[in-house]
Amino acid sequence: MRDFSWECRTRVKFGKGCVREHLADFVREFALPGRNIMIGYGGGSVKRNGAYDDAVSVLETLGYSRDGNATEGNLIVEFPGIMSNPTLRRMREGAELAAQMDVGLIIGIGGGSVMDCCKAISVQAGYDGDAWEDFWMQGMPMTHDVIPCGVIVTMPATGSEVNGCAVLTNEDTHIKTDRDYPAMNPVFALMDPSYTLTMPLRQLRAGTFDILSHIMETYFSYPVEDNPADDVSEGLMRGLIRDFRAAVADPEDYQARSNIMWAASLAENRIIKTGKTKDFQAHNMEHQLSAYTDCNHGEGLAVLHPAYYRHICMDGLGKFMRFAERVWGLCREDYESDEEFALAGVDALASFIKEMGLPTTLRDLGFGSDEHKMLKEIADSCFISQGAFRPLTNEEVLDIYEECW
Ligand code: NZQ
Ligand code: ZN
């Protein structure tokens, strides 16, 4: 095995009713004394799925209030309107509010966008410098005290609840990128699968594909020799494919929904990344598409993955063959060559994407001639992963975008 370090400081409570049961204990443990609590959320889905009411009622029993006249240190400071693909500007607005209102705990309620934005706010609000420049751009060590941030998950996808990663979009420079610091891990994550039942089918599909993408982006990287991280990944992929089918067939299937929710966390709590170089080139390509067009993350990945894997399949032949066999159940004897067998695994992935009703072309994402004209600029702005089986060139990124057109 390659050397690695692993930690996950997030405390998780999972299950129906977990917010009402456990949030109070977490607040007592993590809220900085004498300071207010901020709750961050998105466009309002949390008010329809029960998560907002559950959280606020627990905070009220602890003596916190949304009433602006409440005693200092007992205020619930609301920060709504965190958009999908959160912007640096919105994060800065939240950080300014958190600093101004003397916030000592931030609770993000929502999907990956809300969680990422709240995690970044917790970093910026307690920092004198420019967090985007110093951490996201320069990758400087994070040594200042970060305001504790906990999350209540309403959409399984990113795994942001159990890692130190936060993705932001700088709309001025058209850069969308992540940074990962252990200090940015949420201090707690409350995961009640019943909140996810209100997700539109489109978000269910996109979020679940994002999970599969996280596993594949890790699996298809070095080392290629047998190792425990990849063994876990194969099991996770098989289970996720099963649960994805079940959830799409019956969106009320709690068993499938709860499995998917935990699979999202297992894919991104860094366990399957131990000792792996990690690719994430599909993510890099999607992030830049999103930076320019604001497209949906999981849908963008669904479009890009098969085309990308057809480009690198021969560079990681053994691993792609193993994927065909262990994830899709294909048999080598049914194919004339190793190459054909490996590509059959990629074809199986492409068929599954179609079967799940995900978009398969950039035009399906709503791209028109204006976006088409931008593809070269987007490709040139794309980060190139060095953890891949073969690092692409920016010209090849453009080829992939064109193949996805
Ligand atoms: O804004 P609201 O009203 O909350 O609606 C959201 C949003 O419109 C809605 N939603 C969430 N839970 C719902 C629900 N609607 C009904 N019922 C519920 N229970 O779903 C929409 C999408 O939410 P969003 O948070 O944007 O989705 P997702 O979780 O996919 O997050 C995407 C963001 O995370 C980044 C992506 O790039 C993107 O910016 N990523 C973060 C990562 C991380 N932190 O580790 C890794 C990922 O690879 C990814 O890059
Ligand atoms: Zn992702």
Side-chain angles (χ1 to χ4, degrees):
M1 290 229 33
R2 293 183 178 209
D3 299 346
F4 64 87
S5 69
W6 182 85
E7 66 176 286
C8 178
R9 69 169 186 163
T10 304
R11 297 252 303 276
V12 175
K13 295 285 182 188
F14 186 102
K16 262 186 198 159
C18 65
V19 172
R20 285 187 183 261
E21 204 177 331
H22 299 290
L23 177 60
D25 287 341
F26 281 144
V27 171
R28 285 191 203 99
E29 185 173 348
F30 293 112
L32 301 176
R35 292 168 65 172
N36 299 314
I37 291 183
M38 173 185 266
I39 51 175
Y41 52 95
S45 68
V46 294
K47 295 197 174 167
R48 294 187 293 276
N49 59 34
Y52 176 91
D53 286 344
D54 285 347
V56 167
S57 72
V58 170
L59 294 177
E60 285 174 348
T61 60
L62 293 173
Y64 292 90
S65 167
R66 280 173 293 172
D67 179 349
N69 298 319
T71 345
E72 200 46 39
N74 283 306
L75 267 176
I76 299 173
V77 179
E78 301 216 28
F79 185 63
I82 299 173
M83 66 290 275
S84 276
N85 306 322
T87 61
L88 175 59
R89 192 167 301 134
R90 192 73 188 129
M91 183 283 275
R92 284 179 175 151
E93 288 164 359
E96 214 174 291
L97 182 67
Q100 185 193 334
M101 297 304 291
D102 194 27
V103 163
L105 176 68
I106 300 168
I107 304 175
I109 314 175
S113 297
V114 167
M115 293 190 273
D116 284 5
C117 189
C118 289
K119 287 158 70 176
I121 290 171
S122 75
V123 168
Q124 177 66 81
Y127 188 60
D128 289 336
D130 179 351
W132 169 263
E133 190 49 43
D134 293 349
F135 304 122
W136 274 261
M137 290 294 97
Q138 305 298 332
M140 280 166 46
M142 194 180 282
T143 52
H144 70 287
D145 286 334
V146 168
I147 295 173
C149 176
V151 296
I152 297 172
V153 189
T154 67
M155 168 166 170
T158 62
S160 182
E161 63 276 4
V162 285
N163 65 45
C165 175
V167 183
L168 294 173
T169 300
N170 183 333
E171 318 105 290
D172 298 330
T173 57
H174 287 306
I175 292 177
K176 178 176 185 178
T177 193
D178 66 288
R179 271 294 165 188
D180 192 343
Y181 288 93
M184 229 179 352
N185 260 70
V187 290
F188 65 81
L190 290 156
M191 305 177 63
D192 181 341
S194 59
Y195 295 149
T196 73
L197 294 172
T198 56
M199 274 164 66
L201 201 51
R202 180 181 169 199
Q203 295 298 348
L204 171 70
R205 290 176 167 128
T208 311
F209 188 79
D210 188 25
I211 304 169
L212 185 60
S213 168
H214 295 155
I215 307 169
M216 293 190 295
E217 295 257 49
T218 311
Y219 182 75
F220 291 117
S221 71
Y222 295 103
V224 289
E225 295 78 24
D226 288 342
N227 66 83
D230 289 343
D231 293 337
V232 174
S233 287
E234 287 165 3
L236 275 178
M237 285 190 273
R238 284 194 300 271
L240 188 67
I241 290 162
R242 174 199 63 214
D243 293 321
F244 200 164
R245 286 193 168 113
V248 167
D250 176 9
E252 301 293 315
D253 183 338
Y254 180 85
Q255 178 71 16
R257 290 302 193 104
S258 50
N259 286 350
I260 290 171
M261 194 173 206
W262 189 231
S265 303
L266 292 177
E268 275 294 320
N269 69 355
R270 310 303 189 223
I271 284 278
I272 63 166
K273 300 189 181 186
T274 48
K276 298 284 295 181
T277 56
K278 302 177 285 294
D279 180 349
F280 281 79
Q281 183 61 48
H283 269 67
N284 290 344
M285 292 190 286
E286 191 289 323
H287 280 166
Q288 282 315 97
L289 285 179
S290 165
Y292 279 78
T293 68
D294 202 29
C295 66
N296 178 288
H297 177 61
E299 292 183 345
L301 290 167
V303 170
L304 292 167
H305 262 286
Y308 172 49
Y309 284 160
R310 289 192 181 104
H311 274 249
I312 61 159
C313 194
M314 298 309 137
D315 302 284
L317 186 63
K319 210 51 185 287
F320 277 97
M321 288 170 64
R322 193 167 139 161
F323 178 68
E325 182 188 337
R326 298 196 190 178
V327 178
W328 299 106
L330 306 180
C331 294
R332 172 65 185 87
E333 300 79 64
D334 297 336
Y335 298 87
E336 284 190 358
S337 65
D338 288 352
E339 289 76 8
E340 204 182 294
F341 183 47
L343 279 167
V346 179
D347 289 344
L349 171 66
S351 305
F352 180 68
I353 289 168
K354 246 189 213 152
E355 180 194 333
M356 290 300 98
L358 282 154
T360 56
T361 66
L362 292 180
R363 275 166 300 139
D364 289 345
L365 295 181
F367 286 28
S369 57
D370 287 349
E371 285 79 12
H372 192 246
K373 280 185 212 133
M374 288 193 289
L375 287 182
K376 179 161 176 9
E377 185 180 339
I378 300 175
D380 286 343
S381 73
C382 188
F383 295 109
I384 300 299
S385 166
Q386 298 304 314
F389 284 143
R390 175 174 59 82
L392 298 181
T393 60
N394 292 89
E395 290 71 36
E396 207 173 349
V397 171
L398 180 58
D399 291 342
I400 292 170
Y401 286 158
E402 290 288 0
E403 285 157 27
C404 292
W405 182 251

